Amino acid sequence: IFIILRSLRCARITLHMNLFVSFVLNNLLWLIWYGFVVANTNLLLNNNIICRLLHVVLHYFLLTNYAWMLCEGFYLHTLLVMAFTSEHRLVNWLVALGWSMPGLIVTIYAILRATSNDPVDSQQCWINEGNYMGALVYPVCVSTLLNVLFLFNIVRVLLMKLRAGPAIGTRPSRSMLQAFRATMLLVPLLGLHYLVIPFRPPKEHPWEHAYEVISAITASFQVSMPRTSINMKSSLILFYPIPIPTIVKSNIHLR
C-alpha cells in the first residue's frame, strides 16, 4: 500500500518500511540456516567459509531488527519532546545508523570468533554460541533498555498533555486518548515484549517448555500481519492527520 500510494509516502513510513525489510530478511535467513546448515551434518563438519559467512550475515540482520526498533523509539521520542526537529534530516540519520551500526558490531564479533583458538568458537559453522556472544547480546540489551526509557518518557509527555488539555471535570479530547492508546501499542514495535523472557533456561530445565511457549506467543506480536497493521495504525494516529481510508478512496477515484 505504501509503495503504490505515493500520497502515503513520508519520512515516518520510511522507518516502518526499513523495520519491515529487516524482519523479512532476518526470518528468511533463519529458514535458510535451519534448512541448509543445521540439518546438514556434513556441512557442519566441513566448516567451510560459506556457512560461517551465512552465520555472520544472519546475525547482522538479527541486530538490524533491534537497531530499527531503537530507531523507531528514538524517532517517536524526539518528535514528541523536540517539536521543532527537522524530520527529514532525523530520518536520514536513522537510516544510516540503522543499517551501519549492526554491521560494525557484527564485524567485531566475526573478527573475535575468526581469531579464536577455542574449537567452540571456530568449528561447526559457528553453530555454538561460543565465548563472544556477549558482543551481540550487550548491544541488544542496551537497545532494549533505551527503548524502555523512551517509552516511559513518551507516556510522561502524553500524560502531561492529557492533564493540561481539557478543563477539570471534563473528559480528555478524543485525539489525546487515541494518542495514549497508540503509545501503549508501541510496546511490541519497540521490542519491549522481549523483557518477558530475557534469558533462555538450560536444556531439560523444568521451565524450558514454558519458555518456548511464551517465546512463540510474544514473537507472534512482532512478526504477524495483525501486529504490523496495529503498529502502522498507532504511528499514523499519532503523526498522520489525514485519514487513511480517505486517501485510499481518493486514489481509487483518480484511477
Side-chain angles (χ1 to χ4, degrees):
I1 293 176
F2 295 110
I3 295 176
I4 297 174
L5 302 180
R6 293 182 178 272
S7 55
L8 289 179
R9 296 184 189 179
C10 61
R12 300 175 290 279
I13 302 304
T14 301
L15 295 181
H16 297 312
M17 293 179 66
N18 279 275
L19 175 63
F20 180 75
V21 168
S22 71
F23 271 106
V24 170
L25 294 176
N26 179 55
N27 284 281
L28 179 62
L29 287 170
W30 275 115
L31 293 175
I32 296 174
W33 177 258
Y34 280 106
F36 295 96
V37 178
V38 176
N40 193 333
T41 305
N42 292 329
L43 183 61
L44 291 174
L45 294 176
N46 291 334
N47 191 35
N48 58 49
I49 191 172
I50 296 177
C51 69
R52 283 178 286 165
L53 182 62
L54 178 61
H55 171 91
V56 174
V57 175
L58 169 65
H59 283 79
Y60 164 74
F61 282 105
L62 178 62
L63 286 184
T64 60
N65 292 167
Y66 293 95
W68 278 108
M69 287 187 287
L70 178 61
C71 289
E72 292 274 4
F74 180 77
Y75 172 81
L76 178 58
H77 176 268
T78 302
L79 288 190
L80 285 178
V81 175
M82 302 173 63
F84 299 101
T85 302
S86 174
E87 187 176 353
H88 182 72
R89 182 179 300 177
L90 175 62
V91 170
N92 287 339
W93 275 104
L94 292 178
V95 169
L97 293 175
W99 293 112
S100 62
M101 288 302 296
L104 177 61
I105 296 171
V106 169
T107 299
I108 296 174
Y109 166 77
I111 292 174
L112 291 174
R113 292 204 69 158
T115 56
S116 175
N117 295 323
D118 192 332
V120 177
D121 294 320
S122 58
Q123 295 182 0
Q124 297 184 350
C125 296
W126 298 359
I127 195 173
N128 299 311
E129 291 189 356
N131 300 313
Y132 301 105
M133 188 56 63
L136 303 178
V137 173
Y138 293 144
V140 169
C141 293
V142 172
S143 171
T144 305
L145 290 176
L146 286 175
N147 269 341
V148 171
L149 296 177
F150 289 152
L151 183 62
F152 282 161
N153 203 36
I154 289 169
V155 173
R156 181 186 66 82
V157 173
L158 289 176
L159 286 175
M160 290 174 59
K161 292 183 178 181
L162 281 169
R163 292 169 183 169
I168 299 175
T170 61
R171 297 181 61 185
S173 64
R174 185 171 181 270
S175 61
M176 288 305 302
L177 287 176
Q178 285 180 329
F180 184 75
R181 287 196 296 267
T183 304
M184 292 298 97
L185 293 175
L186 290 174
V187 170
L189 177 66
L190 304 183
L192 302 183
H193 59 286
Y194 291 126
L195 295 175
V196 179
I197 44 170
F199 301 107
R200 178 187 294 273
K203 289 186 176 181
E204 300 182 358
H205 191 276
W207 291 357
E208 182 181 10
H209 180 69
Y211 173 88
E212 296 294 340
V213 172
I214 298 174
S215 177
I217 293 174
T218 55
S220 66
F221 290 107
Q222 191 70 42
V223 300
S224 64
M225 289 306 296
R227 171 259 174 206
T228 304
S229 63
I230 286 175
N231 286 327
M232 292 294 185
K233 180 181 178 182
S234 65
S235 297
L236 290 169
I237 286 173
L238 279 171
F239 301 123
Y240 213 100
I242 304 174
I244 300 303
T246 303
I247 297 175
V248 175
K249 289 179 181 178
S250 64
N251 277 270
I252 292 175
H253 291 315
L254 288 174
R255 297 185 182 187

